[in-house]
Amino acid sequence: MDRIPSVNLEDFISGDPNRKQKFINEIGKAYEEIGFVALKGHFLDDALVDKLYAEVKNFFDLPVETKRKYEIEGIGGQRGYVSFGKESAKGKKEGDLKEFWHFGQYVDDDPERAKEYPENVEVKEVPEFNKVGKETYKMLEKTAKYVLRALALHLGLEETYFDHYIHNGNSILRPIHYPPITEEPKNAVRAAAHGDINLITLLMGAQGRGLQVQNHKGEWIDAIAEPDELMINVGDMLSRHSNNKLKSTIHRVVNPPRELWGTSRYSIPFFMHPISEMKLNVLDSCVDEDNPKQYDDITAGEFLNERLIELGLKK
C-alpha cells in the first residue's frame, strides 16, 4: 500500500446498514494492511479547529521561563508542559525536536477515578487555552468512540465493547510545537520513528508534509490528510489486544527541507487510552492455528507504565 485510505464516519452513523457495513469493511481493511486512515465526517467543526490552533500558538509563543512554570515534576509529563527535547523515541538517545502540552481526562461522575489522574493545569496567561482544549478533547473523544465501535464489530465483538473501557479513560490531548530548526540537527528529528502506546490516535495537523508511515514493505510513505480530515492510527494496545490483526504502524515526523527550517510546525494528536484496569489480553476471536497468541496478558495501566519508563518520561 502506497497511500493512506480515506473513510467517512458519516457512513457509520448514517442509520443505513449498508453504509455502516461499508465503513466497517473499509476501516477494518485499512487497519489490517497499514494501520492508518484519513477520516472525514468527525465531530470537530472548523471554527473550533481555528480557535484551537490560535490558542495553541498563543501558548507556545510565551517566553520559555513562563512555559516552564507549567512543567510539573513527578507526574511523568502527564499534564501541563513538557519542554523541548525532553521526550525521545523508544531505544533512541536523542530527544525529539519538539515541546508539547498535555490535556487529560475530565472526570465528573466518578470521584474514585478522578483520584487516579493528575489535575489539568490552568494557564493564566492565555485565558481561552484551557476552555478550547477541553472542547476539542470532548469532540475527539466522541469521534474515537464511534471509530472503536466500528472496530469492535470488525473484530466480531459487541458494538459497544470498548465504551465502558474508554469512559473516563486515561486519554491525552497533546498540542505539539516543532520550533524552527536553527542549526544542523546531529541525529535528532522532529519525532523519531515510533509506534503509539494507546488504543487509537486521532491526529489534527497532518495537512503538510512531515508525517511518514512505514508500510509492510518497509517503505516510508507520506501521510497527508485533507484539511477536513483527521489521520487516525492503531496504537500498540489495540494491536496487542487484536493479536496484531490490527496493525500498530511505525511512523515518524521528519525534518523539513533546509529552506523551511525557519518555520514552526504544529500538530495535535489525541491519544485514546482506556481505564487502567482494562485487560489487553489477546482476544479469543483473533487466535487460530495460523495466528497463535503472540502476547502475554497485561493490563492497560501496566503496559502504559512500562512504556513511559522506556520513553524517558517516568523514572
Side-chain angles (χ1 to χ4, degrees), residues 277-290:
E277 63 268 30
M278 179 185 180
K279 289 181 167 64
L280 298 177
N281 306 355
V282 169
L283 292 162
D284 291 342
S285 61
C286 296
V287 177
D288 57 34
E289 280 184 24
D290 297 326

Side-chain angles (χ1 to χ4, degrees), residues 213-228:
V213 175
Q214 195 171 39
N215 68 16
H216 65 279
K217 295 181 196 163
E219 301 161 338
W220 288 102
I221 62 173
D222 288 324
I224 301 175
E226 296 296 323
D228 63 342

Side-chain angles (χ1 to χ4, degrees), residues 9-298:
L9 188 60
E10 288 176 3
D11 288 335
F12 185 73
I13 58 180
S14 65
D16 177 337
N18 293 325
R19 285 179 67 189
K20 183 174 183 176
Q21 191 59 50
K22 173 177 175 279
F23 180 85
I24 294 164
N25 295 345
E26 287 174 346
I27 199 168
K29 182 173 188 286
Y31 281 167
E32 288 188 20
E33 292 183 357
I34 197 156
F36 271 74
V37 295
L39 182 97
K40 295 184 188 298
H42 50 76
F43 295 103
L44 285 179
D45 64 52
D46 292 345
L48 179 57
V49 171
D50 291 345
K51 273 198 295 188
L52 180 68
Y53 275 110
E55 294 307 316
V56 164
K57 186 173 186 306
N58 287 341
F59 173 75
F60 286 119
D61 282 348
L62 292 171
V64 172
E65 58 272 21
T66 305
K67 290 184 285 192
R68 285 234 163 103
K69 286 193 316 193
Y70 299 109
E71 193 155 24
I72 313 299
E73 289 298 315
I75 59 169
Q78 288 181 73
R79 300 290 184 275
Y81 179 63
V82 178
S83 52
F84 184 79
K86 186 71 73 79
E87 185 182 65
S88 57
K90 179 180 172 181
K92 201 162 176 8
K93 295 194 300 290
E94 296 80 16
D96 289 342
L97 304 178
K98 66 188 181 192
E99 57 179 345
F100 54 92
W101 179 272
H102 276 160
F103 296 103
Q105 185 59 262
Y106 301 88
V107 180
D108 56 13
D109 60 356
D110 186 344
E112 287 307 305
R113 180 72 63 195
K115 289 177 193 169
E116 267 189 50
Y117 303 138
E119 288 188 17
N120 278 298
V121 179
E122 293 283 327
V123 177
K124 296 183 176 62
E125 292 81 358
V126 188
E128 291 292 295
F129 179 67
N130 291 87
K131 176 173 170 285
V132 174
K134 181 176 181 179
E135 281 179 51
T136 307
Y137 186 105
K138 294 290 188 187
M139 290 300 102
L140 288 169
E141 189 174 45
K142 183 178 178 182
T143 301
K145 178 172 79 172
Y146 285 101
V147 170
L148 286 171
R149 284 183 176 183
L151 294 177
L153 290 169
H154 178 69
L155 293 170
L157 303 167
E158 285 288 324
E159 181 171 343
T160 56
Y161 170 83
F162 288 103
D163 284 23
H164 163 70
Y165 297 119
I166 61 174
H167 178 66
N168 289 331
N170 194 15
S171 299
I172 293 281
L173 177 64
R174 173 190 278 192
I176 304 171
H177 175 222
Y178 302 103
I181 296 170
T182 55
E183 59 184 351
E184 186 76 45
K186 293 189 172 58
N187 285 309
V189 292
R190 284 182 158 176
H194 65 285
D196 291 342
I197 300 170
N198 42 296
L199 291 170
I200 55 174
T201 301
L202 291 72
L203 177 68
M204 302 169 62
Q207 280 87 51
R209 289 186 183 275
L211 177 65
Q212 294 186 330
V213 175
Q214 195 171 39
N215 68 16
H216 65 279
K217 295 181 196 163
E219 301 161 338
W220 288 102
I221 62 173
D222 288 324
I224 301 175
E226 296 296 323
D228 63 342
E229 291 179 329
L230 298 171
M231 198 63 76
I232 306 187
N233 63 282
V234 174
D236 291 348
M237 287 184 182
L238 185 56
S239 179
R240 221 186 149 97
H241 200 37
S242 69
N243 204 30
N244 209 29
K245 182 181 173 79
L246 306 178
K247 303 284 188 289
S248 176
T249 306
I250 298 295
H251 51 285
R252 66 186 183 184
V253 180
V254 295
N255 297 333
R258 188 178 282 269
E259 63 269 20
L260 295 176
W261 278 13
T263 59
S264 282
R265 183 177 191 273
Y266 297 92
S267 172
I268 308 175
F270 177 78
F271 300 110
M272 170 59 90
H273 281 265
I275 53 178
S276 58
E277 63 268 30
M278 179 185 180
K279 289 181 167 64
L280 298 177
N281 306 355
V282 169
L283 292 162
D284 291 342
S285 61
C286 296
V287 177
D288 57 34
E289 280 184 24
D290 297 326
N291 299 289
K293 182 179 172 183
Q294 296 182 47
Y295 300 104
D296 294 333
D297 295 350
I298 196 169

